[in-house]
Amino acid sequence: MNFKETHNLILNNVSRFIHLTDLEKQKYISLLTEIEVEKKTFLMQAGEVTKYEYFITKGCLKVYTLDKEGSPHISMFAVEDYWTGDLSSFMTKEPSMYFIKAIETSELLGISRANYDLLFQEIPKFERFYRNLYQKSLISYIRRSNYGISLTAEERYVEFKKKYPQIVSRITQKDLAAYIGITPEFMSKIISKVNRM
Amino acid sequence: MNFKETHNLILNNVSRFIHLTDLEKQKYISLLTEIEVEKKTFLMQAGEVTKYEYFITKGCLKVYTLDKEGSPHISMFAVEDYWTGDLSSFMTKEPSMYFIKAIETSELLGISRANYDLLFQEIPKFERFYRNLYQKSLISYIRRSNYGISLTAEERYVEFKKKYPQIVSRITQKDLAAYIGITPEFMSKIISKVNRM
DNA sequence: TAAAAGTCTTAAACTAGTTCATTTTTTTTC
DNA sequence: GAAAAAAAATGAACTAGTTTAAGACTTTTA
């Protein structure tokens, strides 16, 4: 059975946790929508109700909120083989607080809420897939929420660079500052200090 | 069908997401272990591999790490009807970084890793239960990890008090400071300031 | 390929939060 | 219920990170 390259990427991601028959693969693919986002344009904006959960097959995006002063706080960078979206708005159908903007022109596969619900009826083993996917994400967010309160900005930077070297090279220092939780000026100081060491 | 009071609590929690037959309820209960922890004693300590995931039927506990200076950072307070543990260590079977200590003498139901795995074989709809449970936790940890970098300590305190008033009254200011991510001294200042307003 | 827009660096003055030391208040323990 | 231990409050000196401003460098766009 032959699928498009992007479909192989998502099937491969799913196969980490569950095994699908060819028929199930076809069914699953039929529930997905192909989406392209140009560099610097929005996949979604705060105030909208999220229509999809996304799997990235190509590119790089940032997910962020704006605080009351209008400063951005980036909650994740999403690159190839990552899942992203606003799970809260997707589930509750309430307006999102998040913006998702393409750092590079990107290609994604989206699953709509209706198809997400349908998926569990049609192929119940996707409950298991999402149980595992959410479990893994939960573990990393628990760790991250602890890092936020227990490490200094410099330590958070060093950690990030060690854990995601491929991402560091694709984003600006300014965006990294908005992820770490500091100003771009202080980020600049940290980087020159760390490089001097 | 009649169950013990503590068993009704957990069955009621599970029924938020899935419906169980009486037989399935009995089976599920049979996979759980009853645990009691005295006030000020440990349910688990860093360095151990986590044996159970826990559901609290009575009491209050804190989950925390110690940083390299030996200062505590609390990642959650767990009270009645909450699930807790160290999911990472539970899944990977690697030693945990977390301590779990009873703030009040507490009663819990634990599920061992072996029984957790068995549960999905015996009652596959638990995949759905955990998919939903992890999804809800994930949503709140994503929010918390964003709060950590986008709000001031005072704002985080006000948020916490608004969201968990019942918990605030059961814990010390010192523990709340370790959760918010500040020193007890600064917590004291914030509280007196907020009360003056 | 020039101009415009955005990013990065540096520095000085500032503020949120820390550290350390002391006293008061509350809780625990025998 | 007295003594001991822990928690909370207060204040002064400090440090990590912010703000504002200006110039240099890099990328984007027409």
Side-chain angles (χ1 to χ4, degrees):
Chain A
M1 176 113 330
N2 274 324
F3 296 102
K4 291 177 60 171
E5 187 47 31
T6 54
H7 292 153
N8 278 327
L9 286 171
I10 201 167
L11 290 171
N12 200 44
N13 184 282
V14 167
S15 76
R16 289 177 301 161
F17 301 128
I18 54 174
H19 178 265
L20 296 178
T21 65
D22 282 353
L23 220 69
E24 287 167 336
K25 286 178 186 174
Q26 270 186 301
K27 178 74 210 170
Y28 177 48
I29 296 294
S30 78
L31 297 175
L32 304 174
T33 307
E34 295 187 41
I35 296 162
E36 198 187 301
V37 222
E38 286 291 320
K39 189 173 174 170
K40 293 192 188 178
T41 63
F42 289 99
L43 181 59
M44 61 171 273
Q45 293 194 247
E48 298 170 9
V49 172
T50 314
K51 293 220 169 38
Y52 298 93
E53 278 286 288
Y54 304 98
F55 175 79
I56 293 100
T57 55
K58 180 148 181 274
C60 179
L61 305 96
K62 56 183 173 185
V63 182
Y64 64 97
T65 54
L66 293 180
D67 65 24
K68 51 190 183 317
E69 279 82 38
S71 307
H73 297 280
I74 295 178
S75 72
M76 83 177 290
F77 296 105
V79 296
E80 295 81 11
D81 207 36
Y82 274 57
W83 292 87
T84 196
D86 175 357
L87 193 55
S88 175
S89 169
F90 185 72
M91 294 315 297
T92 63
K93 298 181 178 172
E94 285 168 15
S96 176
M97 301 157 46
Y98 292 92
F99 297 83
I100 304 183
K101 196 173 188 176
I103 291 176
E104 303 165 3
T105 296
S106 303
E107 290 167 20
L108 305 93
L109 294 169
I111 186 161
S112 67
R113 179 61 200 282
N115 284 353
Y116 175 86
D117 291 339
L118 199 60
L119 182 60
F120 299 118
Q121 287 173 41
E122 305 263 334
I123 316 174
K125 59 182 120 159
F126 267 94
E127 297 280 9
R128 183 177 180 86
F129 169 70
Y130 277 103
R131 194 249 306 168
N132 280 284
L133 181 67
Y134 293 154
Q135 185 181 78
K136 280 200 78 173
S137 306
L138 184 55
I139 288 169
S140 60
Y141 272 98
I142 290 172
R143 183 172 299 126
R144 190 180 169 207
S145 76
N146 216 40
Y147 276 8
I149 59 166
S150 67
L151 301 185
T152 63
E154 184 176 327
E155 289 167 330
R156 277 175 274 152
Y157 166 67
V158 172
E159 276 293 327
F160 186 84
K161 210 172 133 182
K162 195 164 82 188
K163 197 161 177 190
Y164 307 103
Q166 355 64 296
I167 294 183
V168 173
S169 62
R170 294 167 80 170
I171 63 179
T172 61
Q173 262 175 235
K174 204 183 164 195
D175 278 346
L176 185 49
Y179 177 89
I180 299 279
I182 56 174
T183 58
E185 292 87 347
F186 194 55
M187 184 84 259
S188 174
K189 273 184 210 171
I190 287 176
I191 289 176
S192 76
K193 184 184 165 201
V194 170
N195 288 344
R196 258 183 286 117
M197 297 197 309
Chain B
M1 177 114 325
N2 275 324
F3 295 103
K4 290 177 61 172
E5 187 47 30
T6 54
H7 292 153
N8 279 327
L9 285 170
I10 201 169
L11 290 170
N12 201 45
N13 185 282
V14 167
S15 76
R16 289 177 303 162
F17 301 129
I18 54 172
H19 178 266
L20 295 179
T21 65
D22 282 353
L23 219 71
E24 287 167 337
K25 287 178 186 175
Q26 270 186 301
K27 179 73 209 170
Y28 178 47
I29 296 294
S30 78
L31 297 176
L32 304 174
T33 307
E34 295 186 41
I35 297 161
E36 198 186 301
V37 222
E38 287 291 321
K39 190 172 174 169
K40 292 189 187 180
T41 63
F42 289 99
L43 179 59
M44 60 171 271
Q45 293 194 248
E48 298 171 8
V49 172
T50 313
K51 294 219 169 40
Y52 299 93
E53 277 287 288
Y54 305 99
F55 175 80
I56 293 103
T57 55
K58 181 148 180 273
C60 179
L61 304 97
K62 57 183 173 185
V63 183
Y64 64 97
T65 53
L66 293 179
D67 65 24
K68 51 191 184 317
E69 278 82 39
S71 308
H73 298 279
I74 295 179
S75 72
M76 84 177 291
F77 296 105
V79 296
E80 296 80 11
D81 206 37
Y82 274 57
W83 291 87
T84 196
D86 175 357
L87 193 55
S88 176
S89 171
F90 185 72
M91 294 314 299
T92 63
K93 297 181 179 172
E94 285 168 15
S96 175
M97 303 158 44
Y98 291 93
F99 296 84
I100 304 182
K101 197 174 189 176
I103 291 176
E104 304 165 5
T105 296
S106 304
E107 290 167 20
L108 306 92
L109 294 169
I111 186 160
S112 68
R113 180 60 198 283
N115 284 354
Y116 175 85
D117 290 340
L118 199 59
L119 182 61
F120 299 119
Q121 287 173 41
E122 304 263 334
I123 317 175
K125 59 183 120 159
F126 267 94
E127 297 280 9
R128 184 177 180 84
F129 170 71
Y130 277 103
R131 195 253 303 169
N132 280 284
L133 181 68
Y134 293 153
Q135 185 180 76
K136 282 200 79 174
S137 307
L138 183 54
I139 289 170
S140 60
Y141 272 99
I142 290 172
R143 183 172 299 125
R144 189 179 171 209
S145 76
N146 216 41
Y147 277 9
I149 58 165
S150 68
L151 302 184
T152 62
E154 185 177 327
E155 290 167 329
R156 277 175 273 152
Y157 166 66
V158 171
E159 276 293 327
F160 186 84
K161 211 173 132 181
K162 194 164 84 187
K163 197 162 177 189
Y164 308 103
Q166 355 65 296
I167 294 182
V168 173
S169 62
R170 294 168 80 170
I171 62 178
T172 61
Q173 263 175 235
K174 205 183 164 195
D175 278 346
L176 185 48
Y179 178 90
I180 299 280
I182 56 174
T183 58
E185 292 88 343
F186 194 54
M187 183 85 260
S188 172
K189 276 179 207 174
I190 286 176
I191 289 176
S192 75
K193 184 185 164 199
V194 170
N195 289 343
R196 260 183 284 115
M197 296 198 308

